[in-house]
Amino acid sequence: MHELIISQYDFENLSKLVRNLETTTGLLLEEELARATIVDNNEKLRNVVSMGSIVSFIDEENNHTSTVELLYPHEMNKASSYQKISVLAPVGAALIGLGKGHTIEWPLPNGKTKHLKVTAVDNRHLK
């Protein structure tokens, strides 16, 4: 299991978001937040999936590559050049905090498991 790295800002916002969610994804995201390393230095987030990241990943089951922008649910209407994914979607929750090259097995609501590998992270939104 890889170390998850999350900014203090994202940690606080995500903790508030999942506090009262009783969905499977919400509970799993809450567990991930509990084991994450919290940082306040954006340099440590350079190759780590954070909120607003453009992330490319491979679904290792079918070798399908996707590139998405990870967003909060209230940001899903914003204009983007990329496919948007909510952090509360199963794949979005799986990606947060992972570094380039990291893989994760993530349970889906249908009882199956996704095997994802992060291949690129673009965090140009971080200053």
Side-chain angles (χ1 to χ4, degrees), residues 54-57 64-69 81-84 119-120:
I54 307 300
V55 57
S56 296
F57 62 93
H64 178 76
T65 300
S66 298
T67 299
V68 299
E69 183 175 9
S81 302
Y82 298 93
Q83 178 182 347
K84 298 174 281 190
T119 58

Side-chain angles (χ1 to χ4, degrees), residues 1-5 35 47-49 55-58 60 94-105 115-121:
M1 187 176 305
H2 296 289
E3 174 186 33
L4 295 180
I5 300 174
R35 76 176 188 89
N47 290 309
V48 175
V49 179
V55 57
S56 296
F57 62 93
I58 295 174
E60 293 186 325
L95 293 171
I96 189 77
L98 292 179
K100 181 180 175 184
H102 290 174
T103 59
I104 192 166
E105 291 183 20
H115 300 266
L116 307 175
K117 180 176 183 177
V118 175
T119 58
V121 180

